[in-house]
Amino acid sequence: MPTEPYIQPTHAPNDVATLCIVGPTGAGKTHLAMSLAEYTKSIGITIEIISMDSALVYRGLDIGSAKPTKAAQEAVNHHLIDIIEPTEVYSAARFANDAKRLCAEIRERGNTPVVVGGTMLYWRAWAYGLSSLPPANPEIRARLDKEGKSMSWPAMHNQLAKVDPETAARLEPNDAQRVQRALEVYAITGKPMSLLLADSPSEDGRVGSTIPPWIHLISLEPNDRKRLHLNLEKRFDEMLAAGFLDEVKALRTNASLHADLPAIRSVGYRQTWEFLEGEIDAERMRYKALAATRQLGKRQLTWLRAIEGRKTFDPFNPEQMKTALDSCKEVLSN
């Protein structure tokens, strides 16, 4: 696997700023984008949505990823959805390249790109550039995965804290994928990931950065975390009622898929996979899936709240959502 290339951020053509709608999972990003599309259509502007979501890129991951409906995708042209198989890997560097290319192509058609999503590593790569961390090492990764399953990931997180306390501080103890990657980077280079990122040309992309002048960032950040959690519980139960278990069962018929692939590690899919493997019961599956979803939202909000200059709106406040839509309209009208 090749090393991720460094992406040098560039200004949009003619310094035209790109609108980007972000927020934690379940905050209503897609709803805001579709409301904007309905308005712009009425005034003769056509927007195209570039998805900034690490789960939506995979074919077959539909219900559990809350993928926009076919009707929504037919109403508004969406990009970076259903572009690879779940056996493949999609990276932040690839997203940065794809998003940059798509913004240019959409403008060449006379339309307006709008980036929508909550995968903040993708945001970092697109907005600031991404450093060249070492590529994955299958042997080291397999060893760490074996140790994690044997010792528990909180124990592995404790190991990470000894060699890279800065990275450990921003990761949840049960975030197996990211804890494993940080330990892998240290095992390969002998240096903590936090140091490598700090020394990289993309240092400006670290937490606490200001927004590049060529991006307008609209961030949906709920003031009522409990209400968000209740909405996420309701959404997960609706996914189950819509056939989420059958969706994962269908994925499991592909002999090339396994629990360690990034697609299957997606929130909800990993826990459902464990249930179908017989490792946990249905009640535990639901509990773990909701806990992982809440942790994801917490990480996303941590990223967002450290970005200076973003415009924030509470998605549970109708007046603020109206103002958020007006702010989006203003960006596109200028």
Side-chain angles (χ1 to χ4, degrees):
M1 184 182 297
T3 303
E4 300 284 16
Y6 171 68
I7 307 299
Q8 179 63 46
T10 58
H11 290 277
N14 302 318
D15 291 325
V16 177
T18 301
L19 174 64
C20 182
I21 299 173
V22 294
T25 182
K29 301 179 290 293
T30 298
H31 177 73
L32 176 59
M34 295 303 293
S35 297
L36 178 64
E38 184 176 351
Y39 164 77
T40 55
K41 185 177 180 180
S42 70
I43 61 171
I45 296 175
T46 299
I47 71 169
E48 299 187 33
I49 294 174
I50 299 173
S51 168
M52 190 172 68
D53 189 295
S54 60
L56 300 190
V57 297
Y58 296 109
R59 302 185 191 103
L61 274 67
D62 301 327
I63 298 173
S65 67
K67 192 169 289 180
T69 65
K70 294 298 182 184
Q73 293 187 53
E74 289 173 1
V76 181
N77 196 5
H78 285 65
H79 300 274
L80 303 186
I81 293 178
D82 292 335
I83 59 173
I84 61 173
E85 296 298 326
T87 52
E88 300 176 79
V89 176
Y90 190 80
S91 67
R94 183 174 169 184
F95 171 81
N97 282 323
D98 285 347
K100 177 182 174 182
R101 170 182 55 81
L102 285 165
C103 283
E105 291 175 356
I106 292 168
R107 286 195 174 95
E108 286 173 3
R109 288 193 287 272
N111 296 336
T112 302
V114 178
V115 177
V116 182
T119 300
M120 299 312 295
L121 185 59
Y122 287 10
W123 153 264
R124 181 182 189 274
W126 175 56
Y128 308 105
L130 191 65
S131 64
S132 295
L133 293 175
N137 182 301
E139 293 181 1
I140 293 176
R141 182 161 290 191
R143 173 177 61 80
L144 290 170
D145 192 56
K146 184 177 180 180
E147 291 177 4
K149 291 176 179 177
S150 173
M151 297 172 56
S152 83
W153 285 106
M156 298 293 281
H157 184 269
N158 288 337
Q159 287 191 7
L160 177 63
K162 295 176 182 178
V163 298
D164 189 356
E166 184 176 339
T167 299
R170 66 179 177 81
L171 298 181
E172 297 289 339
N174 284 308
D175 190 349
Q177 184 175 357
R178 290 174 177 79
V179 170
Q180 181 191 59
R181 177 56 175 160
L183 286 169
E184 178 189 37
V185 167
Y186 183 78
I188 294 171
T189 66
K191 297 180 180 180
M193 178 186 283
S194 56
L195 179 61
L196 293 175
L197 291 175
D199 288 342
S200 76
S202 60
E203 183 177 357
D204 286 343
R206 67 188 184 278
V207 171
S209 297
T210 55
I211 303 167
W214 50 279
I215 296 177
H216 285 292
L217 192 65
I218 301 295
S219 183
L220 303 183
E221 301 175 21
N223 291 330
D224 188 345
R225 193 79 63 87
K226 289 183 179 179
R227 181 172 175 181
L228 176 63
H229 292 170
L230 288 174
N231 282 4
L232 292 174
E233 288 184 30
K234 181 174 180 288
R235 186 176 73 168
F236 185 72
D237 289 338
E238 289 173 346
M239 288 175 177
L240 291 174
F244 183 38
L245 282 177
D246 289 335
E247 178 173 285
V248 181
K249 286 178 182 177
L251 291 170
R252 283 167 52 80
T253 63
N254 184 343
S256 298
L257 291 179
H258 54 81
D260 294 324
L261 286 168
I264 307 305
R265 285 183 170 185
S266 299
V267 168
Y269 286 91
R270 181 168 194 151
Q271 296 76 24
T272 306
W273 192 280
E274 291 176 354
F275 167 67
L276 294 174
E277 283 282 318
E279 297 175 6
I280 55 177
D281 60 22
E283 183 179 356
R284 184 65 177 168
M285 173 196 71
R286 183 178 183 276
Y287 172 83
K288 290 185 68 175
L290 291 173
T293 306
R294 288 193 292 268
Q295 289 171 0
L296 171 61
K298 181 180 178 181
R299 288 195 303 270
Q300 290 168 317
L301 284 169
T302 298
W303 272 91
L304 291 168
R305 288 170 178 166
I307 300 174
E308 300 173 7
R310 74 198 189 285
K311 292 185 177 180
T312 63
F313 304 91
D314 182 359
F316 299 139
N317 184 317
E319 285 301 314
Q320 287 201 29
M321 283 303 287
K322 182 180 181 298
T323 305
L325 180 58
D326 288 341
S327 294
C328 292
K329 293 175 182 178
E330 183 180 355
V331 171
L332 298 192
S333 63
N334 290 336

